[in-house]
Every structure is written in structure tokens, then in C-alpha cells.
Amino acid sequence: MRWIILLAFYFLVDIYGYQAVRSFSKNTWIAIIYFVVSAIVIGNLILQFNHPNEGGTFSGGRGYAIGIFLAFFVSKIVLAVIMLGEDIVRVPIAGIQRIFGESEAFSIPSRRKFLSTVAIGLAAIPFASLLYGMYKGKYDFRVLRYTLYFEDLPDAFDGYRISQISDIHSGSFDNKNKIEYGIELLKEQDSDLVVFTGDLVNNLASEMEDWKTMFSRVNARDGVFSILGNHDYGDYHNWESEEAKTKNLEKLKKTHADMGWDLILNENRFIEKNGERIAVVGVENWGAGGFKKAGDLEKAGTGVDREDFKILLSHDPSHWEQEVKAHEKHYHLTLSGHTHGMQFGIEIPGWFKWSPVQYRYKHWAGIYEEAGRYINVNRGFGFLAYPGRVGIWPEISVIELKKGPKPA
């Protein structure tokens, strides 16, 4: 049924989008090429989703089918909206002319070629952007640096640096050289601690086999700490049995250990320097809106005092909003991921930040602060579904902790 609805909507958008092309030429061959290409795009999408995909829900050919479909479909929606807007004006004008006798017959004015030209020009922007995002944007790694001030930070940790990556989604990768570049960029930051905040794979632990050796090179003076994200549990895969699903999760946990990463599952670790300490607390996935709630903040914080300086690793930022930021133990800094910034948006650092995902998540990318408690929502290292990024680039966060009041 969902395919029928999609096909019907796609067909209507296609017809309206074609009106802009038709304003330039009514050549039959142009029409044939237009609709044949449209049929191939939607046909390939349906074929990919009705063909077994062992590598993960949106990986391989299925991911590219989604990307190409979006590039064409979003562009045609732009065309259709402008053409529909023109019709909203054309039809009433024709009716008025007929009613007041300005014309003997009901005749709709022809489309304006200028408006069709503008429509095609505007439609080319998302089309080119989405194709660029697939070609280059998905591996255009950026290092984003933040300095956060805390009056109760232990003196020994003044200037302490944390590198964060999130949402690797290894089952989507297709270029070892690009991933190696991203890992080397992470290592170059030379931070005291590296943390990974969930979603190592799309579904299957086996997705990491080709990448495990590469990611095992990630290290830091105080180690690499990691947690699980919603995709790591295999909940989006059709398993032959619960036993197979359980074995997959155990294999994934072992992968963290094989890479030398300390996987924290509703637990905590202390880092000590010069007789002082900070706590790193890690919860399993906890997400609002139907996502898995395996995280147990009370259990994770066992043995951690309110006076301890605390860094919480929690995959889904909705956890911070609903449970963490008002918690009596005062979690100073929460590090999350999950949203990917929707892999699409517009950012002008320090001036403007927008993505459709902001209508779903209050905290969706970057640093947020409330009552002296902070959260960083990492935009993700990898990608999922749409195999690209436009405006929201893959991120390595580097956070420096400073002792003292926040500068005015």
C-alpha cells in the first residue's frame, strides 16, 4: 500500500514538474526521455527495497537508490510547487475574463516561459546539492572546536581535551581512503580522551569487519570510551531468531573490545590526575519517541557523587532533555549524537543554523547550555539512508574544559 501511495504522489509531482519543461519544448522525444528517466528512478528504488540487502537496511545499492530518488524527487517538487502557484493565478484570471465578457470562451492563459525558467533554475539547486552530497559531502570531515568553562572543574583537568565522534554507521561506508583520512584527522587532535557516542553499525556486527583494524588505531592518553546507539541492538533487522539477535549484539560488544575501546554499559569510569578525578558515565540507548530505552541513569551513576565532575555519554539527545539536565547529581557535560543533523541543512557558523531535524529534536547539532549544564550533539562521522551530506558535514568534536567562570 505504501508503494501505491508513493507512486501516486510521485506521478502527480512528475506531471506538474513536466509543465516547466513543456514550456520550452513540446517535442515528443523530450517528453519520452523525461518520463522514462522518472520511471527508471522510481523503479530502481522499488527494486532495491524489494531485493534482499544483506549489508544493512540502507547500505550499498539501496542507499544510492534513495539518494538518486531524492535528487530527482525534491527537484521536481520545487518545479511542481512553482507551476501550481502559477495555476492558482492563471485559472481565476481565466474565470474572471469569462464572467465579465472579456473573452467569449473560457481560455486559460499560457504559461510564462520566464516563470518556467526560474522554476528550473531553482530546482537545479537541490538537484546539484544532493548529487554533490553523495559524491563528496559525505566524507567532507570537519573538526569543530569548543571551549567550555566550569567553576567546579578540578584544577588538574584545566585544559583537558576530549575528542568526540558518533554515528559511524560502518555498513554505509564505501571508500577506505576517505575513512582513513577521517581517522587520521581524529588522531591529529591529540586529545586526552576520545569518546564514541553510539551507532557503530546500521544493523549487523559483521559490518565492522572491514573497518575494525582501521578504527583500532584511534587512541588517546586516557583511552577511548564508547557506548551503544539505537542501531547497535539490531532492532531494525529481520532476525531468524532471538538467539541470532543476541549473538549479534555480543559480537558487536566484542568488536569494541577488539578495537581497544572501553564500552560503558550503564556504568562509569573515573579518570584520575594529581590526586583529583572526573567521572565518565555511560548509559545504553535511551530515546524518546519510540526509541529503545535501555539506558539506566541511576544504575550508571552508582558510586558517583554529586560533587564529582561528570561527563555523561548518552546517544540520544532527547535523554538530556527529559532526564539528565534536571537530575539531582548535576551532570556537567553530556555528549550525544543520533540526529546526524539530518545530513541536510544550512549552517553559517556563529550566525545561522537550520535543518528539518530541528522540528523533531530541540537539541540537534552543536553545544547547548541550560543552567550551567551542557550538551554537545555531534553531527556524526558516517551517514545513513541518504548516502551523502549537504550543509551538515561529518564531524569530529574537540571540547576543551577550562576552570573558571564563563567569559562575558
Side-chain angles (χ1 to χ4, degrees):
M1 185 64 180
R2 62 180 180 178
W3 290 114
I4 295 174
I5 295 173
L6 177 62
L7 281 169
F9 186 55
Y10 185 80
F11 177 75
L12 289 174
V13 169
D14 224 22
I15 292 295
Y16 247 105
Y18 175 66
Q19 303 309 307
V21 178
R22 195 169 181 271
S23 296
F24 289 91
S25 174
K26 296 180 176 62
N27 186 291
T28 303
W29 281 108
I30 291 178
I32 291 173
I33 292 171
Y34 178 91
F35 287 109
V36 165
V37 171
S38 291
I40 290 173
V41 169
I42 188 67
N44 182 47
L45 182 71
I46 294 172
L47 176 65
Q48 290 292 338
F49 270 85
N50 286 278
H51 186 272
N53 187 352
E54 192 173 329
T57 307
F58 300 112
S59 59
R62 185 174 292 183
Y64 282 99
I66 293 171
I68 292 170
F69 169 78
L70 286 174
F72 278 90
F73 192 46
V74 172
S75 302
K76 288 179 180 180
I77 286 177
V78 173
L79 291 177
V81 167
I82 296 175
M83 294 299 98
L84 178 61
E86 185 182 22
D87 283 349
I88 291 173
V89 175
R90 289 198 309 154
V91 174
I93 288 177
I96 291 171
Q97 290 176 341
R98 179 70 181 89
I99 291 170
F100 291 98
E102 296 179 21
S103 175
E104 295 183 0
F106 183 81
S107 177
I108 299 177
S110 61
R111 293 191 181 278
R112 289 178 292 177
K113 193 171 182 179
F114 170 76
L115 193 61
S116 296
T117 302
V118 171
I120 291 174
L122 291 175
I125 296 173
F127 183 77
S129 297
L130 287 164
L131 290 181
Y132 172 84
M134 293 167 63
Y135 170 67
K136 187 175 181 181
K138 62 185 177 182
Y139 295 129
D140 193 2
F141 296 102
R142 306 292 174 91
V143 177
L144 300 184
R145 306 178 191 279
Y146 307 100
T147 301
L148 303 181
Y149 291 83
F150 301 91
E151 295 194 43
D152 56 349
L153 178 71
D155 291 335
F157 291 87
D158 187 19
Y160 195 78
R161 284 160 44 94
I162 304 165
S163 285
Q164 177 196 4
I165 58 172
S166 191
D167 299 270
I168 286 174
H169 288 287
S170 57
S172 300
F173 291 156
D174 57 9
N175 190 316
K176 287 195 172 184
N177 290 335
K178 295 294 185 181
I179 299 305
E180 187 167 18
Y181 166 75
I183 291 172
E184 289 303 313
L185 189 61
L186 170 61
K187 290 177 63 179
E188 285 174 13
Q189 305 315 306
D190 192 31
S191 292
D192 298 287
L193 177 70
V194 172
V195 299
F196 168 68
T197 48
D199 279 359
L200 190 64
V201 298
N202 294 339
N203 290 299
L204 311 177
S206 58
E207 294 170 25
M208 273 301 292
E209 288 302 316
D210 292 338
W211 311 98
K212 188 164 60 174
T213 300
M214 201 176 291
F215 278 94
S216 68
R217 300 207 306 266
V218 175
N219 53 53
R221 285 177 286 280
D222 290 326
V224 181
F225 294 155
S226 58
I227 58 171
L228 298 176
N230 56 299
H231 278 266
D232 295 323
Y233 297 90
D235 289 343
Y236 312 121
H237 183 74
N238 186 21
W239 298 98
E240 58 186 30
S241 66
E242 278 299 315
E243 182 183 6
K245 183 179 178 181
T246 300
K247 285 183 177 179
N248 180 73
L249 181 56
E250 292 307 311
K251 182 178 179 181
L252 185 70
K253 292 177 181 178
K254 185 177 182 301
T255 298
H256 284 253
D258 291 344
M259 294 189 300
W261 296 9
D262 186 355
L263 180 62
I264 310 178
L265 303 173
N266 292 328
E267 304 167 287
N268 60 75
R269 308 282 190 267
F270 285 102
I271 300 173
E272 298 187 4
K273 290 169 68 72
N274 300 332
E276 296 181 303
R277 70 180 191 177
I278 62 173
V280 179
V281 181
V283 294
E284 294 196 46
N285 191 79
W286 194 105
F291 288 101
K292 180 183 286 292
K293 291 181 171 64
D296 187 335
L297 188 57
E298 301 307 318
K299 180 181 177 182
T302 301
V304 178
D305 298 330
R306 190 187 190 282
E307 292 72 27
D308 286 320
F309 187 91
K310 293 172 286 294
I311 298 169
L312 176 68
L313 311 183
S314 181
H315 178 68
D316 191 317
S318 65
H319 190 209
W320 190 72
E321 174 65 22
Q322 298 201 13
E323 284 198 357
V324 177
K325 71 179 183 181
H327 196 276
E328 60 180 9
K329 281 197 172 180
H330 189 92
Y331 285 89
H332 298 75
L333 172 62
T334 299
L335 303 177
S336 298
H338 182 61
T339 71
H340 301 204
M342 205 173 171
Q343 298 167 209
F344 176 84
I346 302 170
E347 283 197 81
I348 303 174
W351 291 89
F352 183 76
K353 181 172 67 176
W354 175 88
S355 169
V357 78
Q358 71 188 56
Y359 305 115
R360 170 66 175 82
Y361 288 95
K362 181 178 179 181
H363 311 100
W364 58 275
I367 295 284
Y368 301 86
E369 183 265 334
E370 291 187 27
R373 307 179 192 199
Y374 292 86
I375 183 173
N376 180 53
V377 185
N378 184 281
R379 294 160 180 81
F381 190 89
F383 49 91
L384 180 69
Y386 167 60
R389 285 177 175 268
V390 179
I392 305 292
W393 313 115
E395 173 185 349
I396 297 166
S397 306
V398 178
I399 299 172
E400 183 177 8
L401 308 179
K402 296 292 289 182
K403 184 174 179 67
K406 181 180 178 181

